[in-house]
């Protein structure tokens, strides 16, 4: 029958193909519905906010640091000192008192300077970059205050030490000035010898020319 043949044609038609020209026209006239963009992950969103003024690796590290420190930055609770070392990607050192020139303290200072580059407002456009770096500065100050050995020298000892350092600096500058003068004197002497040698060469050339002319 007619209905049976129609159902057979519909069964053989490829999926999504309209069953009639009228339906095809209606389907073509419907605007395509854009697919919803999947939400960005927190890391991806933070990376996009950092911007493009840092290298890809630096921007990734800055975004990761902002996300890691966000729970500590937003709360006013005190943070344990041992935990602060991890904020600078450093293990808890062995010992609790270090000289200011100790490798541990110098490494901590270098780590802070590296963070200063990552969170500088001219480089990092993330709205939390500045507050994150200020938090790191506070952590650095607390670590230095807790772990750096304070000098116990008296006022007289400090004055004597500063005077000795000043004398050494003056002696160093005096030696540098003497070396500079000696170098200048050597250069002037070499220049004088070069001029004399050039004059002697010209004088001999003139004498040779005069001798040849006398022979003609």
């Amino acid at each position: 029958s007619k209905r049976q043949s129609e159902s057979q044609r519909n069964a053989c038609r490829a999926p999504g193909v309209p069953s009639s020209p009228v339906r095809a026209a209606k389907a073509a006239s419907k605007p395509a519905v854009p697919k919803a963009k999947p939400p960005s992950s927190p890391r991806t969103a933070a990376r996009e906010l950092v911007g493009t003024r840092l290298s890809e690796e630096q921007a990734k590290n800055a975004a990761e640091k902002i996300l890691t420190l966000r729970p500590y930055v937003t709360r006013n609770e005190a943070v344990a000192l041992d935990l602060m070392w991890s904020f600078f990607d450093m293990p808890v050192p062995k010992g609790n008192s270090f000289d200011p020139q100790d490798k541990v303290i110098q490494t901590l200072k270098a780590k802070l300077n590296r963070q200063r580059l990552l969170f500088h407002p001219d480089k990092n456009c993330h709205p939390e970059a500045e507050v994150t770096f200020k938090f790191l500065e506070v952590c650095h100050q607390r670590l230095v205050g807790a772990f750096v050995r304070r000098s116990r020298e008296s006022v007289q000892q400090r004055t004597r030490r500063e005077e000795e350092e000043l004398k050494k600096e003056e002696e160093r500058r005096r030696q540098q000035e003497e070396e500079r003068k000696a170098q200048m004197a050597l250069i002037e002497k070499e220049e004088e010898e070069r001029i004399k040698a050039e004059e002697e060469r010209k004088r001999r050339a003139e004498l040779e020319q005069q001798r040849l002319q006398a022979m003609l």
Side-chain angles (χ1 to χ4, degrees):
S1 66
K2 185 176 180 180
R3 289 184 178 179
Q4 185 177 2
S5 61
E6 180 66 24
S7 62
Q8 291 176 351
R9 288 195 298 270
N10 290 338
C12 297
R13 186 176 296 113
V17 177
S19 59
S20 68
V22 176
R23 292 180 181 177
K26 289 182 179 180
S29 63
K30 291 182 180 180
V33 179
K35 294 182 179 180
K37 184 179 179 181
S40 300
S41 66
R43 284 181 173 81
T44 302
R47 169 63 188 86
E48 292 175 352
L49 288 172
V50 169
T52 59
R53 297 176 182 176
L54 294 169
S55 69
E56 183 61 30
E57 185 67 21
Q58 288 175 330
K60 180 180 177 182
N61 292 339
E64 186 70 26
K65 185 69 68 176
I66 289 173
L67 292 177
T68 302
L69 298 182
R70 181 180 289 168
Y72 306 100
V73 174
T74 55
R75 70 186 186 188
N76 295 323
E77 300 176 9
V79 181
L81 290 173
D82 287 351
L83 182 60
M84 289 182 185
W85 291 102
S86 65
F87 297 164
F88 298 93
D89 303 319
M90 294 180 63
V92 178
K94 296 179 180 179
N96 54 14
S97 181
F98 300 95
D99 185 83
Q101 301 303 319
D102 189 90
K103 183 179 179 180
V104 172
I105 303 304
Q106 292 301 311
T107 300
L108 178 64
K109 181 180 179 180
K111 294 282 187 178
L112 178 68
N113 290 334
R114 189 174 303 172
Q115 301 298 337
R116 180 178 285 109
L117 171 63
L118 294 182
F119 295 109
H120 195 280
D122 290 343
K123 298 288 186 180
N124 193 326
C125 300
H126 197 290
E128 298 177 36
E130 183 177 0
V131 68
T132 300
F133 180 70
K134 287 183 178 180
F135 173 78
L136 287 172
E137 282 188 318
V138 172
C139 292
H140 177 267
Q141 292 172 1
R142 287 191 59 194
L143 289 173
V144 169
F147 287 89
V148 173
R149 186 182 304 119
R150 300 300 179 185
S151 175
R152 296 181 180 179
E153 62 182 0
S154 64
V155 176
Q156 291 81 4
Q157 290 174 332
R158 183 172 67 252
T159 302
R160 189 180 305 111
R161 175 178 56 80
E162 291 175 351
E163 289 176 350
E164 291 176 355
E165 291 176 352
L166 180 60
K167 289 180 180 179
K168 290 180 181 179
E169 179 65 18
E170 291 176 348
E171 178 65 19
R172 184 184 65 83
R173 293 182 179 180
R174 186 187 63 79
Q175 291 179 356
Q176 288 181 341
E177 181 64 17
E178 290 180 354
E179 291 175 358
R180 187 189 67 81
K181 290 180 178 179
Q183 185 69 18
M184 292 297 298
L186 179 62
I187 293 174
E188 291 177 357
K189 182 179 179 181
E190 291 177 350
E191 182 65 15
E192 291 177 357
E193 291 178 352
R194 186 189 66 79
I195 294 174
K196 290 180 179 180
E198 182 66 18
E199 291 177 348
E200 180 65 18
R201 186 187 64 79
K202 290 181 179 180
R203 187 183 67 81
R204 291 183 178 182
E206 292 176 355
L207 291 175
E208 182 65 17
Q209 186 177 7
Q210 292 176 2
R211 186 181 68 80
L212 292 175
Q213 289 178 353
M215 294 174 61
L216 297 176

